[in-house]
Amino acid sequence: MARFVIISVVVVAAFAAAAVVEARVGPIDVAPTNLITNPLGTIIDNGRKITGAVVDECAWTCDHVAVGNKKMCNTLRKLPGVSSPKELLTAAVKLSMRKAKAARARFAAAARAAEKGTPMESILDTCKEGYDNTVSALQEVQRCIDANDSKASLITKMSSATTFTGDCGNAYEERELEPSLALKATKNNVNRVVTGALAIAAKLKL
C-alpha cells in the first residue's frame, strides 16, 4: 500500500512539473515528419499533394535557360505586362526585332558609304539582307505566338531567325575581314538577343 502511494505521488508530481514548463514556454508544436516540400513549393504528405503553391512560370523559365541568357530573361520577365510564358516570349521577340531592325539600318548605311564594287560593300550588303531576313523570321514567330501555335513551330521559326543573324558573321569570315568596332558590337548584340529569345522559347511551358 505504501509503495502504491509513493508511485502515485511521483506520477502526480511529474504531471505538475510538465504543466509548469508548458505554462512558461507555451505549447510545443512538433512538425509532422511525413511532410516534405518539393522544389516547386508543393507540400507532400506521404506522396499525396495536400496543398499547392502558385508557381511563377516566367521565373521558372529564366532559372532553366543557359547562364548566358539568364540576365536578359530576368530583365524581360520584370517588365510591366509580362506575367505569363507567352508574354515573356513576346517581349523577347519584340526586343530581338528592334535590335535586328536597327542593325539592318546601320549596315545598309555602311553599305551605301562603302566603295562600290569592293569586298566590303558585298559583305555589308549581305549583312543588311541577313538582318532583313531576321526581322521577317521574327515576325513569323510573333504570328505563331498570337495564333497559339505549337512549341515545335515556335522553335523552328526562332531557329530560322538565329540562322539569319549568323549570315553577317559568315560573310566577314569568308572574306577574312573584320567589321568596325561599332558594327561588330551591333552584330554581337543582335546575336545575343535572338539567341536569348530562342533559349526562352525552348524552355517555355505553353
Side-chain angles (χ1 to χ4, degrees):
M1 181 66 177
R3 180 180 300 176
F4 176 77
V5 172
I6 292 172
I7 293 173
S8 299
V9 170
V10 171
V11 171
V12 170
F15 276 107
V20 171
V21 171
E22 184 173 345
R24 289 178 179 176
V25 302
I28 300 173
D29 293 328
V30 179
T33 58
N34 59 344
L35 295 183
I36 61 172
T37 303
N38 73 5
L40 293 180
T42 303
I43 305 301
I44 307 297
D45 177 9
N46 289 336
R48 295 187 302 107
K49 183 162 61 175
I50 60 175
T51 183
V54 176
V55 177
D56 184 339
E57 292 186 346
C58 292
W60 184 94
T61 300
C62 294
D63 286 342
H64 287 77
V65 299
V67 174
N69 301 312
K70 286 185 185 296
K71 183 177 180 180
M72 170 183 160
C73 188
N74 281 309
T75 298
L76 292 175
R77 78 178 179 84
K78 294 174 184 177
L79 292 175
V82 176
S83 59
S84 71
K86 180 178 177 180
E87 291 165 347
L88 177 62
L89 181 57
T90 294
V93 170
K94 287 182 177 179
L95 173 64
S96 298
M97 209 176 300
R98 288 198 301 271
K99 298 293 185 180
K101 286 179 178 179
R104 179 180 61 188
R106 288 172 187 156
F107 278 93
R112 289 193 297 270
E115 185 178 349
K116 302 304 178 185
T118 62
M120 185 57 70
E121 182 193 26
S122 176
I123 291 172
L124 294 170
D125 280 335
T126 298
C127 290
K128 172 189 170 295
E129 183 178 352
Y131 293 125
D132 196 37
N133 291 332
T134 301
V135 171
S136 296
L138 291 169
Q139 289 170 339
E140 283 292 320
V141 173
Q142 188 58 55
R143 280 191 280 271
C144 284
I145 296 172
D146 294 338
N148 293 317
D149 209 340
S150 67
K151 181 176 177 178
S153 180
L154 284 172
I155 292 176
T156 297
K157 294 185 184 301
M158 274 302 315
S159 297
S160 294
T162 59
T163 299
F164 289 131
T165 62
D167 290 347
C168 187
N170 292 338
Y172 277 103
E173 289 177 6
E174 288 171 3
R175 298 299 184 95
E176 296 184 348
L177 294 172
E178 286 287 332
S180 66
L181 291 178
L183 291 179
K184 184 176 182 178
T186 297
K187 176 176 70 68
N188 291 343
N189 201 15
V190 176
N191 291 348
R192 178 182 63 82
V193 296
V194 176
T195 299
L198 174 59
I200 290 170
K203 294 298 181 180
L204 284 187
K205 294 182 177 181
L206 295 175

